[in-house]
Amino acid sequence: MEPKYAACVVLAFSLMVITTYYLQPHGVVTDATQTASLSLNASQSPAKKISQRMFGLAFEEINHSGAGGLWAELVSNRGFEAGGPNTPSNISPWTIIGNEASILVSTDRSSCFDKNKVALQMEVLCDVDGENICPAGGVGVYNPGYWGMNIEKGKRYRVVFYVRSLQPVEMSISFIGSKDQKLATSDIKDDNVAEWKKVEMVLEAYGSDANSRLQLTTSKRSTIWLDQVSALPLDTHNGHGFRQDLFDILAALKPGFIRFPGGSYVEGDRLMNAFRWRETIGAWEERPGRFNDVWQYWTDDGLGYFEYLQLAEDLGASPIWVVNIGISINEQVDTSLIMPFVQDTLDAIEFARGDASSTMGSARAAMGHLEPFDLQYVAAGNQDCWKKNYRGSYMKFYNAIKGVYPDIKIITNCDASAAVLDHPADLYDYHVYTNANSMFSMAHNFDHASRNGPKAFVSEYAVTGGEAGRGNLLKALAEAGFLIGLERNSDVVEMASSAPLFVNVNNQRFNPDAIVFDSSKVYGTPTYWMQHLFKASNGATLLDSTLQSPSSLTASAISWTDADSGRSYIRVKVVNFGGNRLNLRLAIEGLDNKSIESAGSTLTTLTSTNVKDENSFNEPKKVAPVINALKNASNKMTVIIPPYSFISIDLQRKSNVIQDAESNGVHASL
């Protein structure tokens, strides 16, 4: 992503009449009813299989998606490096507890970590007794985290820091709430800290506050150095460091892939700040971190190359690594000088895929992952096709990677839908950011694309601009129409993902986004919920269908099997991007009426009373999918499509599985 771009109310089948709703900017919904027809073939041969990875996720370190988001580290600027390598340095957001008469705080380059030389020095001038008595509670420093630390009663948190002192140390380490109440605390006393020493403890909270802070205080006159202060909840996903609620909301989409670590973040505004995978592996204390100069914040790289690969594995998604090929937004390495970058990429692939006995594979194994990761895709750069050195450097990367890893699929930045490529590629990257009408009209964008050559990877799509609000129903419907077009053209489109994925409400650098969170809460926008209705498409069979309708309607149909129940379904998805209610006459060839079980069929509808409606922390599911039983399901039926809506019809095919009578036949879930 470039910085310049800087189901649902389900109607029971008696569907109540929708009266007048005033919707902007797409006019007034009327109670007029139009008719449309959709016919599809459920017995086609040969089957048209959709890619197992068709719909997935695009993760970028933007909007504090990782640092202060998915990566559960509570401490911001944990190594005091965010102010740069020179001293004195800005240690924000660390704050001093006490005044100049009681404590002096500065930075120096005395750390024991070679890649992170900056450490914090506290000269404590007061004491527990004597003339200069320390204030109640002592003096020291505190860290508010990323707009508050979410501390929850009964939960446990591992706190780690490194300390050195010229005198014996007596310190208190505490989580403090927004009203200055103690939520958890522990004291340390150590007479042997003349050299750097690692201190580790687990604090169990006896109170809750989503706007807490971590503080380290003392009332003993001394000179103390601190470095690499970390606080992590113990309940991260699988202990891998991912904030559980944010991981869960991703996992619910059952993504086929995850693209990382982003677009522009990979490049950097300047190459000195580009993502360098090698600096993000190994012990977290040794990771130097970087200033994210595109999105303007510091990241300590706790969420690094290894963690991204682990995230993909935990999600059951294919990792797609976007690699810097010597190009930033404002700089380029000449192709004649690019080979060190190429070798660096080969080393990274070996880190992911190499045997534990290989040079880089052993580095991965030392981090606790003995078996290789399943890295099959490498994207060469981000939106760089037009740049002077792109094609020359791309070919160096392509030939080198294919020479060692011929099975890896390489993704070019150049758009093969616009012109035949002048270089080899397995896939081409396609980005689109536009208004709602244009996005919906792009449902036919790939209808006439060449069926020869590489397939499209639509790695970034989004409706943007004022009409999208902060992620409203209008945006979701337009994008749903676009995705239906991609699904219908899945023979030339292999994968698709919206962008950006996450936003911390306290640092919105790009608007709108799919998932919104703060330190303690999270909700999905209508775009997020829309994507739920496409997750069954991964690996499904696309059915031939013919739609006769107003231009405001688009549809697709698939045959799919639920992995949990073994039940088979036909799913019909329909987007009504207009203000009229529609009677959709659905006819399925290749099935008779006895082939469908009404008891297990469902109707899901994504709509709202206003096309500008959004979700929020107060109403997280104001616009969200709702599922009702479809009691009169048949191979020939009429379905009422509300104005400005996205519906999914799941028709359960007969099998020997016995339905749970208490479920009233409702099977589908989101």
Side-chain angles (χ1 to χ4, degrees):
M1 178 182 309
E2 292 283 3
K4 66 183 178 182
Y5 295 116
C8 354
V9 177
V10 170
L11 307 175
F13 243 55
S14 57
L15 288 168
M16 60 174 123
V17 176
I18 300 177
T19 55
T20 305
Y21 297 131
Y22 295 93
L23 303 175
Q24 298 295 332
H26 293 269
V28 176
V29 171
T30 71
D31 58 3
T33 301
Q34 297 180 346
T35 299
S37 63
L38 177 66
S39 59
L40 57 97
N41 186 351
S43 62
Q44 66 186 45
S45 181
K48 298 179 180 179
K49 295 295 290 184
I50 299 172
S51 167
Q52 289 280 0
R53 305 175 179 91
M54 183 67 183
F55 297 107
L57 307 171
F59 182 95
E60 178 158 6
E61 183 58 89
I62 179 177
N63 303 324
H64 275 278
S65 296
L70 181 63
W71 189 243
E73 173 64 65
L74 297 176
V75 178
S76 176
N77 189 16
R78 66 187 179 190
F80 308 102
E81 309 290 333
N86 300 315
T87 57
S89 177
N90 180 6
I91 63 170
S92 180
W94 288 93
T95 301
I96 298 171
I97 302 170
N99 56 36
E100 292 181 355
S102 58
I103 184 172
L104 295 177
V105 174
S106 61
T107 53
D108 62 25
R109 293 179 53 80
S110 65
S111 176
C112 58
F113 299 108
D114 290 338
K115 294 182 179 180
N116 300 294
K117 294 306 296 183
V118 177
L120 185 77
Q121 180 187 20
M122 299 192 306
E123 186 177 357
V124 180
L125 305 175
C126 60
D127 206 339
V128 68
D129 50 23
E131 294 183 3
N132 188 10
I133 299 176
C134 289
V139 297
V141 290
Y142 74 80
N143 189 289
Y146 298 91
W147 302 281
M149 298 179 179
N150 181 38
I151 303 301
E152 299 181 63
K153 183 177 180 180
K155 285 195 174 183
R156 303 167 73 212
Y157 303 83
R158 176 174 288 109
V159 177
V160 179
F161 62 93
Y162 289 77
V163 63
R164 181 172 72 90
S165 178
L166 301 178
Q167 299 83 24
V169 166
E170 296 181 12
M171 296 183 66
S172 291
I173 297 86
S174 307
F175 286 119
I176 306 297
S178 56
K179 297 180 180 179
D180 295 328
Q181 74 276 28
K182 280 189 178 181
L183 304 175
T185 190
S186 181
D187 296 327
I188 65 164
K189 292 184 179 182
D190 199 324
D191 296 339
N192 186 23
V193 287
E195 301 295 331
W196 283 103
K197 190 171 189 177
K198 182 179 182 179
V199 177
E200 185 170 353
M201 62 186 65
V202 173
L203 301 182
E204 183 171 336
Y206 42 80
S208 298
D209 196 318
N211 191 27
S212 303
R213 62 187 185 269
L214 176 69
Q215 70 178 35
L216 296 88
T217 57
T218 182
S219 295
K220 181 178 177 62
R221 181 183 291 268
S222 53
T223 301
I224 301 172
W225 285 265
L226 296 171
D227 200 12
Q228 297 300 332
V229 183
S230 170
L232 269 172
L234 291 184
D235 65 345
T236 63
H237 178 74
N238 283 348
H240 291 157
F242 308 121
R243 185 173 140 180
Q244 187 68 59
D245 59 339
L246 299 190
F247 178 90
D248 288 344
I249 201 168
L250 297 183
L253 288 175
K254 298 182 178 179
F257 67 86
I258 181 166
R259 174 184 184 250
F260 63 84
S264 297
Y265 177 68
V266 172
E267 301 173 297
D269 189 62
R270 299 285 179 181
L271 274 172
M272 66 180 293
N273 292 315
F275 181 82
R276 305 293 180 128
W277 73 272
R278 201 182 299 268
E279 301 297 320
T280 74
I281 64 171
W284 60 268
E285 298 96 331
E286 291 282 5
R287 301 183 189 185
R290 71 178 39 75
F291 178 62
N292 182 352
D293 62 355
V294 176
W295 305 115
Q296 296 295 300
Y297 60 88
W298 174 262
T299 171
D300 58 27
D301 281 334
L303 182 59
Y305 181 53
F306 175 89
E307 287 75 21
Y308 284 120
L309 292 167
Q310 184 67 71
L311 174 63
E313 185 175 87
D314 287 355
L315 288 169
S318 291
I320 300 180
W321 179 39
V322 185
V323 58
N324 186 297
I325 65 167
I327 298 176
S328 72
I329 293 172
N330 288 299
E331 293 175 299
Q332 299 183 54
V333 174
D334 190 271
T335 297
S336 65
L337 303 172
I338 203 64
M339 288 312 295
F341 285 78
V342 174
Q343 185 58 52
D344 190 59
T345 297
L346 293 176
D347 288 348
I349 297 173
E350 182 179 280
F351 177 90
R353 293 184 35 157
D355 185 86
S357 63
S358 66
T359 301
M360 296 311 305
S362 64
R364 180 201 66 244
M367 296 182 68
H369 201 284
L370 295 178
E371 297 301 316
F373 288 108
D374 186 26
L375 178 63
Q376 299 180 31
Y377 294 85
V378 172
N382 173 72
Q383 296 180 351
D384 295 325
C385 181
W386 58 274
K387 295 178 180 176
K388 174 185 174 183
N389 294 318
Y390 181 76
R391 282 173 173 79
S393 295
Y394 171 89
M395 285 308 304
K396 297 283 190 182
F397 278 82
Y398 182 90
N399 290 331
I401 294 171
K402 287 291 188 179
V404 183
Y405 303 99
D407 62 307
I408 284 185
K409 293 185 177 181
I410 300 178
I411 305 166
T412 178
N413 289 177
C414 300
D415 183 3
S417 71
V420 177
L421 293 180
D422 59 2
H423 56 277
D426 297 294
L427 297 161
Y428 66 93
D429 204 357
Y430 186 95
H431 296 183
V432 55
Y433 295 90
T434 188
N435 61 52
N437 284 332
S438 294
M439 182 67 77
F440 184 79
S441 70
M442 291 181 71
H444 301 287
N445 194 62
F446 291 92
D447 287 359
H448 305 292
S450 172
R451 264 49 194 171
N452 300 314
K455 289 187 177 183
F457 173 29
V458 184
S459 67
E460 297 182 19
Y461 69 83
V463 172
T464 57
E467 66 179 359
R470 295 176 68 86
N472 56 30
L473 174 63
L474 175 67
K475 167 178 156 63
L477 295 179
E479 292 167 349
F482 176 61
L483 292 192
I484 280 179
L486 299 187
E487 184 169 281
R488 289 172 60 89
N489 287 284
S490 55
D491 58 326
V492 292
V493 180
E494 180 147 333
M495 297 179 289
S497 50
S498 70
L501 181 62
F502 278 125
V503 60
N504 186 313
V505 292
N506 297 286
N507 188 258
Q508 188 157 33
R509 295 286 177 172
F510 191 102
N511 178 68
D513 311 277
I515 300 169
V516 183
F517 67 90
D518 61 12
S519 69
S520 62
K521 301 182 295 298
V522 59
Y523 69 86
T525 66
T527 284
Y528 169 81
W529 289 110
M530 172 273 293
Q531 292 178 54
H532 270 273
L533 300 185
F534 285 91
K535 63 187 180 184
S537 296
N538 289 343
T541 299
L542 180 70
L543 302 181
D544 282 335
S545 59
T546 302
L547 178 66
Q548 294 180 336
S549 72
S551 60
S552 64
L553 207 69
T554 189
S556 67
I558 62 170
S559 175
W560 67 285
T561 301
D562 181 78
D564 296 327
S565 68
R567 288 285 197 176
S568 294
Y569 295 85
I570 290 174
R571 172 171 288 185
V572 179
K573 295 189 290 293
V574 183
V575 176
N576 184 359
F577 200 59
N580 292 319
R581 188 177 58 204
L582 291 160
N583 286 334
L584 178 67
R585 295 171 180 168
L586 176 64
I588 305 174
E589 298 178 7
L591 292 179
D592 58 36
N593 193 36
K594 296 180 180 179
S595 300
I596 295 172
E597 291 193 28
S598 292
S601 299
T602 58
L603 172 70
T604 305
T605 309
L606 180 65
T607 191
S608 191
T609 56
N610 191 306
V611 78
K612 289 295 191 70
D613 280 348
E614 302 176 2
N615 294 333
S616 65
F617 288 125
N618 291 330
E619 295 181 281
K621 292 186 179 180
K622 182 176 184 179
V623 185
V626 179
I627 305 167
N628 275 6
L630 189 54
K631 297 181 179 179
N632 298 311
S634 170
N635 64 327
K636 293 183 179 180
M637 55 192 296
T638 298
V639 182
I640 300 175
I641 312 296
Y644 294 111
S645 65
F646 179 25
I647 74 162
S648 174
I649 305 165
D650 274 312
L651 302 175
Q652 181 176 294
R653 304 177 78 160
K654 284 193 181 295
S655 71
N656 294 325
V657 178
I658 299 174
Q659 292 291 307
D660 181 353
E662 293 183 358
S663 71
N664 195 29
V666 178
H667 167 77
S669 61
L670 293 174

